[in-house]
Every structure is written in structure tokens, then in C-alpha cells.
Amino acid sequence: MEKVLNMKKINQALKKEILAMVKVDQKMRMSNKWDSSVDKRNTKQLKEIIKKHGWPKKSLVGEKASRGAWLLVQHADRDIKFQKRSFKLLKESVEQNEAEKKDLAYLTDRLCVNSKKQQIFGTQFHINKKGKFGPHPIKDIQHLNKRRKEFELEAFSIYKKGMRKIHKALSKKLN
């Protein structure tokens, strides 16, 4: 009965809208045709959603669409002000158990990298000036796994291995 009641509260139209945006986002990112207009369009649309409904919490759009909203903010790199505002809303939602801690960790790192600061959780990778794939600089690396565990992230060594595997697969696909 509880699940039935929760289903009625979820804004199905909003859920569908966010999931459709995520689908376009992921399709573009997995193709060999980068299109920055996708991020611009999604950012604009998500801003309108947040203005009208507040942060897309689990109780409003369901877990999958709520995580989708975080992903779209994560990819809004051309609008750091929006990422910062969204960070505050996401943090409040995490405190209310309406969003995932790990999403907050990823957005924290994204904001650090976009602000030319060392990341906190080691979630952001890139190809450096020497052409080598690896993490952006990480602050206080000795305590990295402790911070990661607090935010429900796997050990960095496991994550790094997975990121290298993804990078390798995408590199093959794009070449």
C-alpha cells in the first residue's frame, strides 16, 4: 500500500521529461559526434524545471529521474553558477534523504575541477598534457578512501580501474 501511495505523488510527466533529457545526453556522449547544444538545451530546460518545482527529489520524480537531474547538472559545465546553485539544492535533498550522497560527491568534484581546485573524492578524470588518462589532482589523497566511504563510493583503486576500462572502450569506439 505504501508503494502505491508513493507512486501517486510522483509527477509522472516531469519524470518522463527528465528521463528523456538524460537519454539524449547519454546518446550524444556515447556517439562519436559531440554536440554541445545538447548540454545547453538540457541546462536551460533543467533550470526551468528547478525554478518551477525545486530540486527534482526522489519523492517528486522517483529515484532514476532524480539521479538523472544530477547527471544533467553534472554536465552543465558551461554554467558553473547553475552548478553551484544546484549543489546547494542537492545538498539539502541529500540531508532530507531525497537524493544520493554519491551524487553530491561527484558534483563537489566537478565544481572543484571547474574552479581549478583539487577535487575531494577523486571522481573526475581527464587526459593530461602528456596524453595520459588519469584523475584530476586530488586533495589530501591519504584520506581519500575514508571520504569516499562516507559518501557511499567504492574504494578509489576499484573506481580508477573502472574508469580506465571505460576510457579504453570509448577510445576504441571513437577511433
Side-chain angles (χ1 to χ4, degrees):
M1 186 74 167
E2 177 96 359
K3 287 214 181 234
V4 173
L5 292 174
N6 285 339
M7 291 298 286
K8 289 181 182 178
K9 290 181 185 177
I10 289 179
N11 183 327
Q12 294 297 329
L14 188 56
K15 176 183 176 177
K16 276 176 111 173
E17 182 180 357
I18 292 169
L19 292 176
M21 293 163 63
V22 169
K23 187 175 182 179
V24 171
D25 171 274
Q26 291 298 287
K27 184 177 180 183
M28 182 271 292
R29 282 181 159 69
M30 295 303 160
S31 75
N32 60 357
K33 295 180 183 173
W34 190 263
D35 183 358
S36 61
S37 71
V38 170
D39 290 337
K40 288 178 189 173
R41 193 170 46 252
N42 282 342
T43 298
K44 183 179 179 186
Q45 196 172 344
L46 190 59
K47 280 180 174 180
E48 290 300 316
I49 289 170
I50 290 171
K51 184 178 180 181
K52 186 174 179 181
H53 301 279
W55 182 258
K57 297 176 179 182
K58 291 179 193 178
S59 60
L60 178 64
V61 295
E63 187 171 349
K64 190 173 181 182
S66 180
R67 295 207 71 214
W70 153 76
L71 182 71
L72 297 170
V73 168
Q74 187 82 352
H75 294 158
D77 293 316
R78 288 179 177 79
D79 195 338
I80 296 173
K81 280 173 104 174
F82 174 60
Q83 284 181 323
K84 286 180 180 178
R85 282 194 313 271
S86 297
F87 174 86
K88 290 177 185 174
L89 297 171
L90 179 60
K91 186 175 186 215
E92 288 171 10
S93 295
V94 167
E95 290 166 357
Q96 298 163 1
N97 201 28
E98 286 279 358
E100 300 298 318
K101 274 180 144 180
K102 65 176 98 182
D103 295 345
L104 189 61
Y106 276 86
L107 188 54
T108 298
D109 280 355
R110 194 67 160 239
L111 282 167
C112 288
V113 168
N114 286 340
S115 303
K116 309 284 189 253
K117 296 177 182 171
Q118 292 181 326
Q119 59 178 323
I120 308 299
F121 300 98
T123 63
Q124 303 300 298
F125 281 61
H126 69 131
I127 298 172
N128 67 21
K129 291 175 184 174
K130 295 179 182 177
K132 188 171 170 131
F133 181 76
H136 281 278
I138 302 168
K139 185 178 184 176
D140 185 22
I141 203 153
Q142 310 85 279
H143 299 102
L144 175 61
N145 279 323
K146 182 179 182 220
R147 291 190 304 273
R148 289 181 63 86
K149 187 175 183 179
E150 287 171 11
F151 278 76
E152 301 168 2
L153 297 167
E154 63 198 341
F156 183 68
S157 60
I158 295 167
Y159 180 74
K160 184 167 70 171
K161 197 179 283 184
M163 289 299 291
R164 288 201 169 122
K165 192 175 183 179
I166 290 168
H167 172 71
K168 197 174 195 178
L170 282 175
S171 295
K172 281 182 184 177
K173 185 177 181 181
L174 297 177
N175 291 328

